Amino acid sequence: MDLQKAEIQIIDADELAIDSGRGLFKQFSVQFNPTEYTLSKGAQIAEIAIPGLDSPLLQFVAGQNEKLTLDLFFDSTDKGGMGTGAVSVEDQTRSFYQLVKIQPKTHAPPRIVFHWGSGLNFRAIVESISQKFTLFNPHGIPLRATLTVTFREYKTLEEQVKELNLQSSDHTKRYVVVAGDTLASIAAREYGTPTAWRVVANGNFDRISDLKRLPIGLELQLPPSDSRVTQTAGGRL
């Protein structure tokens, strides 16, 4: 079986500032496949301190991007040896470094896809790159380098909604107010629009004494996501 090289495809290739001498970089292979990689993902959880309780209540806020971290090894000794004809390994690593730099047209790092055979297909932006040089010729030219790269998953809002298959709830939910919450922010999170704040207010008229100030720890009842939300958002309720 032929060895499949890991590759990086640049989605925003036309926006990339660096030129390879043969046109803009669009796709390139790593010199050596990584020996291992790490995938990690977390969730943002808020702690709600309630006086008199032994431990705070936990409130799920949002999921966090998945991250891919790996080491890439580069060696240029096969191109010019270690003498006067030595070729700097930076000629190979320079293109990777561009992936974490802000581009003039997009004002952001380019989006990429990291491919490795059929087992890994990770669309992301490069969050960080650390470059470590481990071998030099007598003139100080770096000949070997290890790049530690962290990719942060990239997904559009539409892709995430489709993937999660979120459905309108047909029952009332409970929500505990955290610092910074307003009726508008809760409505935006639950119903997709801050103008639906009246739905939250109407469902908790006996709990809310001040519409502009919600006490931390206050438990709210959130009505089901039905047509009433649309009517409220349009100002007809």
Side-chain angles (χ1 to χ4, degrees):
M1 180 181 294
D2 294 335
L3 178 67
Q4 289 187 299
K5 283 291 190 70
E7 295 182 333
I8 293 179
Q9 176 188 351
I10 301 174
I11 299 175
D12 303 312
D14 294 338
E15 313 296 340
L16 197 59
I18 187 172
D19 194 296
S20 65
R22 295 174 296 177
L24 294 174
F25 288 112
K26 293 186 177 181
Q27 183 169 327
F28 48 91
S29 301
V30 303
Q31 187 176 10
F32 302 98
N33 284 335
T35 57
E36 62 182 16
Y37 63 82
T38 301
L39 289 170
S40 61
K41 185 175 175 63
Q44 183 181 353
I45 305 296
E47 292 188 352
I48 306 167
I50 305 297
L53 294 185
D54 182 61
S55 60
L57 300 179
L58 299 182
Q59 175 74 52
F60 172 76
V61 179
Q64 296 179 341
N65 301 98
E66 188 172 17
K67 293 184 179 182
L68 167 67
T69 303
L70 47 81
D71 289 337
L72 299 176
F73 179 72
F74 296 87
D75 188 320
S76 63
T77 57
D78 61 334
K79 297 183 180 298
M82 299 184 63
T84 56
V87 176
S88 174
V89 72
E90 289 183 283
D91 291 347
Q92 300 178 48
T93 62
R94 187 175 296 111
S95 57
F96 285 84
Y97 239 62
Q98 296 302 313
L99 300 180
V100 78
K101 293 185 177 181
I102 296 175
Q103 302 304 311
K105 293 183 179 180
T106 62
H107 300 175
R111 297 172 298 166
I112 62 96
V113 181
F114 187 88
H115 296 284
W116 191 4
S118 58
L120 186 60
N121 189 40
F122 198 81
R123 185 169 57 161
I125 62 172
V126 178
E127 180 178 80
S128 65
I129 296 180
S130 175
Q131 189 168 205
K132 181 179 180 180
F133 298 104
T134 58
L135 179 68
F136 304 85
N137 80 341
H139 302 285
I141 298 176
L143 304 177
R144 287 179 185 165
T146 299
L147 266 60
T148 300
V149 188
T150 297
F151 302 91
R152 183 184 284 264
E153 173 188 40
Y154 174 85
K155 290 183 179 179
T156 65
L157 174 62
E158 292 77 10
E159 290 169 335
Q160 293 190 56
V161 171
K162 183 178 180 180
E163 181 180 289
L164 292 173
N165 192 28
L166 298 177
Q167 301 178 14
S168 297
S169 60
D170 56 359
H171 60 278
T172 299
K173 294 182 180 180
R174 293 186 301 169
Y175 179 84
V176 179
V177 174
V178 299
D181 273 343
T182 64
L183 289 176
S185 67
I186 295 172
R189 184 183 301 117
E190 176 65 20
Y191 304 118
T193 172
T195 59
W197 65 269
R198 292 185 184 85
V199 175
V200 182
N202 291 342
N204 296 275
F205 66 91
D206 57 339
R207 294 181 176 87
I208 301 175
S209 58
D210 188 342
L211 295 178
K212 296 183 179 180
R213 295 182 180 180
L214 300 178
I216 297 175
L218 175 66
E219 185 175 284
L220 300 176
Q221 302 293 325
L222 301 182
S225 303
D226 56 20
S227 60
R228 288 176 295 171
V229 174
T230 302
Q231 294 172 355
T232 301
R236 294 190 294 273
L237 185 62

Coordinates of all heavy atoms in Angstrom, one line a residue, residues 183-228:
L183 N -33.2 40.1 29.7 CA -34.3 39.4 29.0 C -34.0 39.2 27.5 O -34.3 38.2 26.9 CB -35.6 40.2 29.2 CG -36.2 40.2 30.6 CD1 -37.4 41.1 30.7 CD2 -36.6 38.8 31.0
A184 N -33.4 40.2 26.9 CA -33.1 40.2 25.5 C -32.0 39.1 25.2 O -32.1 38.4 24.2 CB -32.6 41.6 25.0
S185 N -31.0 39.0 26.0 CA -29.9 38.0 25.7 C -30.5 36.6 25.9 O -30.1 35.7 25.2 CB -28.7 38.3 26.6 OG -29.0 38.0 28.0
I186 N -31.3 36.4 26.9 CA -31.9 35.1 27.1 C -32.8 34.7 25.9 O -32.8 33.6 25.4 CB -32.7 35.1 28.4 CG1 -31.7 35.2 29.6 CG2 -33.5 33.7 28.6 CD1 -32.4 35.4 31.0
A187 N -33.6 35.7 25.5 CA -34.5 35.5 24.3 C -33.7 35.1 23.1 O -34.1 34.2 22.3 CB -35.4 36.7 24.1
A188 N -32.6 35.8 22.9 CA -31.7 35.6 21.7 C -31.2 34.2 21.7 O -31.1 33.5 20.7 CB -30.6 36.6 21.6
R189 N -30.7 33.7 22.9 CA -30.2 32.4 23.1 C -31.2 31.3 22.9 O -31.0 30.3 22.3 CB -29.5 32.2 24.5 CG -28.8 30.9 24.7 CD -28.2 30.8 26.1 NE -27.3 31.9 26.4 CZ -27.5 32.8 27.3 NH1 -28.5 32.8 28.1 NH2 -26.5 33.7 27.5
E190 N -32.4 31.5 23.5 CA -33.5 30.5 23.4 C -34.3 30.5 22.2 O -34.6 29.4 21.6 CB -34.4 30.7 24.6 CG -35.6 29.7 24.7 CD -35.1 28.3 24.9 OE1 -34.0 28.0 25.3 OE2 -35.9 27.4 24.6
Y191 N -34.6 31.7 21.7 CA -35.6 31.8 20.6 C -34.9 32.3 19.3 O -35.6 32.4 18.2 CB -36.7 32.7 20.9 CG -37.5 32.2 22.2 CD1 -37.5 33.0 23.3 CD2 -38.1 31.0 22.2 CE1 -38.2 32.6 24.5 CE2 -38.7 30.5 23.4 CZ -38.8 31.4 24.5 OH -39.4 30.9 25.6
G192 N -33.7 32.7 19.3 CA -33.0 33.1 18.1 C -33.2 34.6 17.8 O -32.7 35.1 16.8
T193 N -33.9 35.4 18.7 CA -34.0 36.8 18.4 C -34.2 37.5 19.8 O -35.0 37.1 20.6 CB -35.2 37.1 17.5 OG1 -35.4 38.5 17.5 CG2 -36.5 36.4 18.0
P194 N -33.5 38.6 20.0 CA -33.6 39.4 21.2 C -35.0 40.0 21.4 O -35.4 40.4 22.5 CB -32.5 40.4 21.2 CG -32.2 40.6 19.8 CD -32.4 39.2 19.1
T195 N -35.7 40.2 20.2 CA -37.0 40.9 20.3 C -38.1 40.0 20.9 O -39.2 40.5 21.1 CB -37.4 41.3 18.9 OG1 -37.5 40.2 18.0 CG2 -36.4 42.3 18.3
A196 N -37.7 38.8 21.2 CA -38.7 37.9 21.8 C -38.6 37.9 23.3 O -39.1 37.1 24.0 CB -38.5 36.4 21.3
W197 N -38.1 39.0 23.9 CA -37.9 39.1 25.3 C -39.3 39.1 26.0 O -39.4 38.7 27.2 CB -37.1 40.4 25.7 CG -37.8 41.7 25.3 CD1 -37.7 42.4 24.1 CD2 -38.7 42.4 26.1 NE1 -38.4 43.5 24.2 CE2 -39.1 43.6 25.4 CE3 -39.2 42.3 27.4 CZ2 -40.0 44.5 25.9 CZ3 -40.1 43.2 27.9 CH2 -40.5 44.3 27.1
R198 N -40.3 39.6 25.3 CA -41.6 39.6 25.9 C -42.1 38.2 26.3 O -42.9 38.0 27.2 CB -42.6 40.3 25.0 CG -42.4 41.8 24.8 CD -43.5 42.5 24.0 NE -43.2 43.9 23.7 CZ -42.5 44.3 22.7 NH1 -42.0 43.5 21.9 NH2 -42.3 45.6 22.5
V199 N -41.7 37.2 25.5 CA -42.1 35.9 25.7 C -41.6 35.4 27.1 O -42.3 34.8 27.9 CB -41.6 34.9 24.6 CG1 -41.9 33.5 25.0 CG2 -42.3 35.3 23.3
V200 N -40.3 35.8 27.3 CA -39.7 35.4 28.6 C -40.4 36.2 29.7 O -40.7 35.7 30.8 CB -38.2 35.7 28.6 CG1 -37.6 35.3 29.9 CG2 -37.5 35.0 27.5
A201 N -40.6 37.5 29.5 CA -41.3 38.3 30.5 C -42.7 37.9 30.9 O -43.1 37.8 32.0 CB -41.3 39.8 30.1
N202 N -43.5 37.6 29.8 CA -44.9 37.2 30.0 C -45.0 35.8 30.8 O -45.9 35.6 31.6 CB -45.6 37.0 28.7 CG -45.8 38.4 28.1 OD1 -45.8 39.4 28.7 ND2 -46.1 38.4 26.8
G203 N -44.0 35.0 30.5 CA -44.0 33.7 31.2 C -43.5 33.7 32.6 O -43.5 32.7 33.3
N204 N -43.0 34.9 33.0 CA -42.4 35.0 34.4 C -42.9 36.3 35.1 O -42.1 36.9 35.9 CB -40.9 34.9 34.3 CG -40.3 33.6 33.8 OD1 -40.2 32.7 34.5 ND2 -40.1 33.6 32.5
F205 N -44.1 36.7 34.8 CA -44.6 38.0 35.3 C -44.6 38.0 36.8 O -44.5 39.0 37.5 CB -45.9 38.3 34.7 CG -47.0 37.4 35.2 CD1 -47.8 37.6 36.3 CD2 -47.3 36.2 34.4 CE1 -48.8 36.8 36.7 CE2 -48.3 35.4 34.8 CZ -49.0 35.6 36.0
D206 N -44.8 36.8 37.4 CA -44.8 36.7 38.9 C -43.5 36.6 39.5 O -43.4 36.6 40.8 CB -45.7 35.5 39.3 CG -45.2 34.2 38.7 OD1 -44.4 34.2 37.7 OD2 -45.5 33.1 39.3
R207 N -42.4 36.5 38.7 CA -41.1 36.3 39.2 C -40.2 37.5 39.0 O -39.2 37.8 39.8 CB -40.4 35.1 38.6 CG -41.0 33.8 38.9 CD -40.2 32.7 38.2 NE -40.7 31.3 38.5 CZ -41.6 30.7 37.8 NH1 -42.2 31.3 36.8 NH2 -42.0 29.5 38.2
I208 N -40.5 38.3 38.0 CA -39.7 39.4 37.6 C -40.3 40.7 38.1 O -41.4 41.1 37.8 CB -39.5 39.5 36.1 CG1 -38.9 38.2 35.6 CG2 -38.6 40.7 35.7 CD1 -38.8 38.2 34.0
S209 N -39.5 41.4 39.0 CA -40.0 42.7 39.6 C -39.4 43.9 38.8 O -40.0 44.9 38.8 CB -39.6 42.8 41.1 OG -38.2 42.7 41.2
D210 N -38.3 43.7 38.2 CA -37.6 44.7 37.4 C -37.2 44.2 36.1 O -36.3 43.3 36.0 CB -36.4 45.3 38.2 CG -35.8 46.5 37.5 OD1 -36.1 46.8 36.3 OD2 -35.1 47.3 38.2
L211 N -37.8 44.6 35.0 CA -37.5 44.1 33.7 C -36.0 44.3 33.2 O -35.5 43.6 32.4 CB -38.4 44.6 32.6 CG -39.9 44.3 32.7 CD1 -40.7 45.0 31.6 CD2 -40.1 42.8 32.6
K212 N -35.4 45.4 33.8 CA -34.1 45.7 33.4 C -33.0 45.1 34.3 O -31.8 45.1 33.9 CB -33.9 47.3 33.4 CG -34.8 48.0 32.4 CD -34.5 49.5 32.4 CE -35.4 50.2 31.4 NZ -35.2 51.7 31.4
R213 N -33.4 44.5 35.4 CA -32.4 43.9 36.3 C -32.9 42.6 36.8 O -33.8 42.5 37.5 CB -32.1 44.8 37.5 CG -31.5 46.2 37.1 CD -31.2 47.0 38.4 NE -30.6 48.3 38.1 CZ -30.3 49.2 39.0 NH1 -30.5 49.0 40.3 NH2 -29.8 50.4 38.6
L214 N -32.2 41.6 36.3 CA -32.5 40.2 36.7 C -31.6 39.7 37.8 O -30.3 39.7 37.6 CB -32.4 39.2 35.5 CG -33.3 39.6 34.3 CD1 -33.1 38.6 33.2 CD2 -34.8 39.6 34.7
P215 N -32.1 39.3 38.9 CA -31.2 38.8 40.0 C -30.5 37.5 39.6 O -31.1 36.6 39.0 CB -32.2 38.6 41.2 CG -33.4 39.3 40.8 CD -33.5 39.3 39.3
I216 N -29.2 37.5 39.9 CA -28.4 36.3 39.7 C -29.0 35.1 40.5 O -29.2 35.3 41.7 CB -26.9 36.5 40.0 CG1 -26.3 37.5 39.1 CG2 -26.1 35.2 39.9 CD1 -24.9 37.9 39.4
G217 N -29.2 34.0 39.9 CA -29.7 32.8 40.6 C -31.2 32.7 40.4 O -31.8 31.7 40.8
L218 N -31.9 33.7 39.8 CA -33.3 33.6 39.6 C -33.7 32.6 38.6 O -33.1 32.5 37.5 CB -33.9 35.0 39.1 CG -35.3 35.1 38.7 CD1 -36.2 34.9 39.9 CD2 -35.7 36.4 38.0
E219 N -34.6 31.7 38.9 CA -35.0 30.6 38.0 C -36.2 31.1 37.2 O -37.2 31.4 37.8 CB -35.3 29.4 38.8 CG -35.7 28.2 37.9 CD -35.9 26.9 38.7 OE1 -34.9 26.3 39.2 OE2 -37.1 26.5 38.8
L220 N -36.0 31.0 35.9 CA -37.1 31.5 35.0 C -37.7 30.3 34.3 O -37.0 29.2 34.1 CB -36.5 32.4 33.9 CG -35.9 33.7 34.4 CD1 -35.3 34.5 33.3 CD2 -36.9 34.6 35.2
Q221 N -38.9 30.4 33.9 CA -39.6 29.4 33.1 C -39.7 29.9 31.6 O -40.1 31.0 31.4 CB -41.1 29.2 33.6 CG -41.2 28.7 35.0 CD -40.6 27.4 35.2 OE1 -40.7 26.5 34.4 NE2 -40.0 27.1 36.4
L222 N -39.1 29.1 30.7 CA -39.1 29.6 29.3 C -40.2 28.8 28.5 O -40.1 27.6 28.4 CB -37.7 29.3 28.7 CG -36.5 30.0 29.4 CD1 -35.2 29.6 28.7 CD2 -36.7 31.5 29.4
P223 N -41.1 29.5 28.0 CA -42.2 28.9 27.2 C -41.7 28.2 26.0 O -40.6 28.4 25.5 CB -43.1 30.1 26.8 CG -42.8 31.2 27.8 CD -41.3 31.0 28.1
P224 N -42.5 27.2 25.5 CA -42.0 26.5 24.3 C -41.8 27.4 23.1 O -42.4 28.5 23.0 CB -43.2 25.5 24.0 CG -43.9 25.4 25.3 CD -43.8 26.8 26.0
S225 N -40.9 27.0 22.2 CA -40.6 27.7 21.0 C -41.7 27.5 20.0 O -41.5 26.5 19.2 CB -39.2 27.4 20.5 OG -38.2 27.6 21.4
D226 N -42.7 28.2 20.0 CA -43.8 28.0 19.0 C -44.1 29.3 18.3 O -43.3 30.3 18.3 CB -45.0 27.4 19.7 CG -45.5 28.3 20.8 OD1 -45.2 29.5 20.9 OD2 -46.3 27.8 21.7
S227 N -45.3 29.4 17.6 CA -45.6 30.6 16.8 C -45.7 31.8 17.6 O -45.6 32.9 17.1 CB -46.9 30.3 16.1 OG -48.0 30.1 17.0
R228 N -45.9 31.7 19.0 CA -46.0 32.9 19.8 C -44.7 33.7 19.8 O -44.8 34.9 19.9 CB -46.4 32.5 21.2 CG -47.8 32.0 21.4 CD -48.0 31.6 22.8 NE -47.2 30.4 23.1 CZ -47.1 29.9 24.4 NH1 -47.7 30.5 25.4 NH2 -46.3 28.9 24.6

